[in-house]
Amino acid sequence: MTYHILIADPLSEEGIYPLRQADGLEITIATDLSKEDLLERIKGFDALLVRSQTQVTREVIEAASNLKIIGRAGVGVDNIDLDAATEHGIIVVNAPDGNTNSAAEHTIAMLTALARKIPQAFNSLKNGEWDRKSFIGVELKNKTLGVIGLGRIGAEVAARAKGQRMNVIAYDPFLTEEKAQKMGIGFGTVGDVLKAADFITIHTPLLKETRHLINEEAFAKMKDGVQIINCARGGIIDEDALYGAIVSGKVAGAALDVFEMEPFVDHPLLTLPEVIATPHLGASTVEAQESVAVDVSQDVVNFFKGEAVRNPVNLPSVSKEVMAKIAPFFDLAEKLGIFLSRMTDEAIEEVNIKYAGELANYDVRALTRNTVKGILKRNLGNHVNDVNAKFLAERFDIKVNEHKTTTGKGFLHLITAEIVTAKFTHRVAGTLLNGLGARIVKVDDYVVDVVPEGHLLFIKHKDQPGAIGRVGTLLAQKDINIATMQVGRSTVGGDAIMMLTIDNRVEQTEIEDLTELEDIYEVKAIDL
Ligand SMILES: NC(=O)C1=CN([C@@H]2O[C@H](COP(=O)(O)OP(=O)(O)OC[C@H]3O[C@@H](n4cnc5c(N)ncnc54)[C@H](O)[C@@H]3O)[C@@H](O)[C@H]2O)C=CC1
Ligand SMILES: O=C(O)CCC(=O)C(=O)O
């Protein structure tokens, strides 16, 4: 099998080495595609790798009939329609760590250049002027740097600013006073930061909540003569409001690496002498580009090898240690789901999955997704996968609940999956037995011991002499060999079940014939 990879933005050649080394991957590099060309070209590709330039819109995702993974060589995924990717079962991976240092260094370079008006002075010099009066700067020492967004990059910037002997005050929804104290920085609300800072640097992602976070109202709260740096994303600062604040003298200077619309050739803000700018170069170093390309390429390789990806954006990430504990249960979890989907033809309203024993100590959301995937597969086939299973369940109004208990009822680990319909509840439990592999150990209230593999028949019948014989005879007449059989009953002469493993898949007509036998209530064929 060959998977086709489209690299649509320039990536470091050294960085894509993992892709070039892997078997079964064919790489096409086509950068600077127009929107129309991308819509046309994307059709045959299994993977798309981008930086920040290519806009992976819903339209692109819907035009991509084979696309399975989108790799973003960098942090911000605001150029990718994540909802559309999730709905279409496409995993999005990024490279969150590879450019932190470069982006932080660029921010500090911008801060210093802004304070000392270096670009303006250089331009003047190049224009043949020796002007030592117009470019009087300010020192950073003892000034206050306000950091909005203290994640990976914000924290690096804060640490470096302290090296410049600046006072740092930060706001981040995840920042506590204790953590701020440990970092040796001040802590406050956005309002506190805006009020206290001589320089303000933004390091949040561009989200609905952060769009125009720095607007007219925010500028009004700032000190007169404040200077602003944005090396995060265009759109976090309202550019019209910034223009007004500079012209009015409220803001003394701005250093911008990012803009609301990129790319552009001219921009009103660049007509102002107080503004210095770079064309989105925060991550443009040899080291960062190699690092993000390696990270994202490695995840694409892992994905096509069927291994866990390290930096999923639209799936919760699972640590290596947890993955090692839960990965052996993936197949069983999915099979419990497939089994349950065959137990009813009614609309499923609720799915309850209970993890008992040691499994209860781990993050098992990936197992839950597998069970939900198994349940939905009956009607959705390959349209459902790990990425969209929960989303599709929600779309069909199926509530998914996860429960945990450390008591394993005699099993080291036990997964019990349950579906609830308007009329019935069905339950199936499975485990992994040391040295023996997966087993289904309970179906509804009946204890069984069945290998979840191949073709199974689940038959509900009356506990009467002859019922089992009649099933065996009819299957023999149809030339269907029984490999294993388990029986269980609730009470003598009451309801009972048979679980058969058979060598061939049964047809619907054969199920109907079995159902018509005396004392047989219900027959379900389950292919695992
Ligand atoms: N100019 C460039 O070339 C680059 C730009 N970036 C941008 O920088 C951003 C930050 O990157 P990282 O630090 O790696 O991300 P991160 O995820 O480590 O940090 C983002 C921080 O922003 C905080 N945040 C979210 N909403 C907030 C709000 N309303 N107010 C205050 N804080 C808020 C989060 O809690 C988080 O701590 C990225 O999203 C990306 O857009 C990243 C790399 C290079
Ligand atoms: O791809 C790039 O160079 C931009 C990096 C960036 O903005 C990011 O990683 O969020």
Side-chain angles (χ1 to χ4, degrees):
M1 178 97 188
T2 302
Y3 294 108
H4 300 273
I5 320 282
L6 175 62
I7 298 179
D9 283 330
L11 295 193
S12 144
E13 186 51 43
E14 286 74 21
I16 61 170
Y17 183 71
L19 293 175
R20 298 229 184 259
Q21 281 293 96
D23 290 332
L25 300 185
E26 196 178 292
I27 302 168
T28 303
I29 299 179
T31 54
D32 289 327
L33 290 176
S34 68
K35 188 180 156 198
E36 291 68 32
D37 284 347
L38 179 62
L39 285 171
E40 189 48 41
R41 293 285 296 270
I42 193 67
K43 289 193 169 78
F45 286 95
D46 300 283
L48 171 65
L49 266 62
V50 296
R51 280 174 63 183
S52 55
Q53 196 158 323
T54 297
Q55 297 302 309
V56 190
T57 57
R58 180 174 282 276
E59 207 185 343
V60 171
I61 286 166
E62 286 176 353
S65 35
N66 283 342
L67 199 60
K68 298 165 186 68
I69 182 164
I70 300 168
R72 160 70 168 104
V75 188
V77 283
D78 42 285
N79 55 326
I80 299 168
D81 189 327
L82 286 181
D83 289 342
T86 304
E87 280 171 47
H88 287 78
I90 298 167
I91 188 165
V92 178
V93 294
N94 72 346
D97 303 305
N99 61 26
T100 302
N101 189 63
S102 290
E105 285 183 6
H106 196 72
T107 306
I108 294 295
M110 292 292 256
L111 168 69
T112 317
L114 184 66
R116 300 304 295 270
K117 305 184 195 293
I118 290 170
Q120 294 93 328
F122 175 60
N123 268 339
S124 152
L125 198 54
K126 281 197 43 148
N127 286 339
E129 294 157 5
W130 183 263
D131 178 357
R132 300 186 63 233
K133 287 197 195 103
S134 305
F135 306 110
I136 307 293
V138 290
E139 283 189 355
L140 298 179
K141 186 180 164 193
N142 293 334
K143 297 289 182 320
T144 298
L145 177 68
V147 181
I148 299 184
L150 199 78
R152 283 172 292 247
I153 299 169
E156 283 295 326
V157 168
R160 284 159 163 80
K162 283 180 59 197
Q164 294 278 15
R165 304 196 199 166
M166 295 186 83
N167 304 313
V168 178
I169 177 168
Y171 167 71
D172 188 296
F174 293 122
L175 181 66
T176 59
E177 196 157 8
E178 195 190 353
K179 194 172 160 202
Q181 254 170 17
K182 265 195 201 145
M183 293 173 73
I185 63 175
F187 156 90
T189 62
V190 189
D192 296 335
V193 173
L194 297 180
K195 252 189 238 158
D198 301 296
F199 292 85
I200 294 173
T201 183
I202 320 286
H203 297 288
T204 71
L206 176 64
L207 307 167
K208 249 192 263 142
E209 299 73 32
T210 57
R211 178 171 289 282
H212 290 186
L213 180 72
I214 305 300
N215 53 18
E216 234 175 82
E217 213 180 307
F219 284 120
K221 291 184 184 148
M222 296 177 196
K223 278 186 183 174
D224 290 341
V226 65
Q227 307 209 49
I228 315 277
I229 302 108
N230 186 5
C231 290
R233 272 297 176 276
I236 301 173
I237 297 180
D238 175 344
E239 289 177 352
D240 292 338
L242 175 61
Y243 188 95
I246 294 172
V247 171
S248 75
K250 176 82 187 177
V251 171
L256 307 172
D257 183 45
V258 286
F259 298 85
E260 291 201 31
M261 288 292 292
E262 293 179 15
F264 63 82
V265 276
D266 57 25
H267 193 294
L269 278 166
L270 297 192
T271 60
L272 301 176
E274 294 86 352
V275 174
I276 64 168
T278 43
H280 204 147
L281 294 183
S284 292
T285 62
V286 174
E287 294 84 351
Q289 282 316 303
E290 187 172 329
S291 175
V292 292
V294 166
D295 288 351
V296 88
S297 299
Q298 192 55 56
D299 255 359
V300 170
V301 171
N302 289 353
F303 175 80
F304 285 118
K305 276 175 39 191
E307 292 172 7
V309 295
R310 287 176 304 180
N311 297 308
V313 174
N314 53 351
L315 277 180
S317 65
V318 177
S319 70
K320 247 192 195 164
E321 295 69 33
V322 171
M323 188 54 88
K325 296 286 181 194
I326 66 170
F329 293 88
F330 279 164
D331 191 50
L332 173 66
E334 181 174 346
K335 283 179 169 171
L336 295 179
I338 296 173
F339 191 108
L340 281 173
S341 72
R342 295 286 162 184
M343 298 287 279
T344 183
D345 294 328
E346 287 185 44
I348 298 168
E349 294 178 352
E350 197 173 313
V351 175
N352 295 304
I353 306 171
K354 188 162 170 184
Y355 299 91
E358 276 190 14
L359 269 180
N361 298 317
Y362 303 110
D363 176 350
V364 286
R365 286 175 293 174
L367 295 180
T368 298
R369 281 197 305 274
N370 268 276
T371 304
V372 174
K373 175 173 76 177
I375 291 171
L376 298 182
K377 250 187 177 172
R378 175 173 176 186
N379 296 317
L380 299 179
N382 289 339
H383 289 270
V384 58
N385 62 19
D386 291 359
V387 176
N388 62 10
K390 289 283 289 281
F391 164 82
L392 291 175
E394 272 166 34
R395 182 191 269 178
F396 293 119
D397 286 331
I398 301 173
K399 258 195 246 142
V400 178
N401 306 308
E402 206 178 88
H403 311 270
K404 287 179 176 178
T405 165
T406 44
T407 47
K409 297 185 182 159
F411 292 98
L412 194 57
H413 325 266
L414 188 71
I415 307 177
T416 306
E418 177 181 274
I419 48 172
V420 181
T421 72
K423 289 195 198 136
F424 302 106
T425 296
H426 289 289
R427 212 169 292 114
V428 59
T431 190
L432 294 188
L433 294 180
N434 236 346
L436 293 173
R439 289 287 190 279
I440 292 177
V441 293
K442 208 166 182 193
V443 179
D444 289 340
D445 292 326
Y446 302 97
V447 174
V448 294
D449 178 7
V450 176
V451 177
E453 252 172 42
H455 311 289
L456 306 183
L457 276 181
F458 176 74
I459 302 178
K460 270 196 168 164
H461 62 100
K462 189 167 182 200
D463 181 39
Q464 285 290 316
I468 297 173
R470 279 190 285 279
V471 168
T473 306
L474 192 130
L475 289 175
Q477 281 166 1
K478 308 253 178 211
D479 205 20
I480 296 171
N481 191 41
I482 301 174
T484 67
M485 183 183 222
Q486 299 259 320
V487 288
R489 65 184 176 192
S490 50
T491 51
V492 177
D495 287 349
I497 60 146
M498 286 177 236
M499 281 280 290
L500 285 72
T501 310
I502 50 179
D503 287 347
N504 337 49
R505 194 171 193 278
V506 288
E507 301 299 331
Q508 186 54 32
T509 53
E510 292 160 341
I511 295 174
E512 284 159 15
D513 291 347
L514 282 164
T515 316
E516 277 169 19
L517 291 174
E518 192 185 337
D519 293 329
I520 303 295
Y521 305 143
E522 200 180 4
V523 179
K524 303 282 183 204
I526 301 158
D527 296 310
L528 293 177

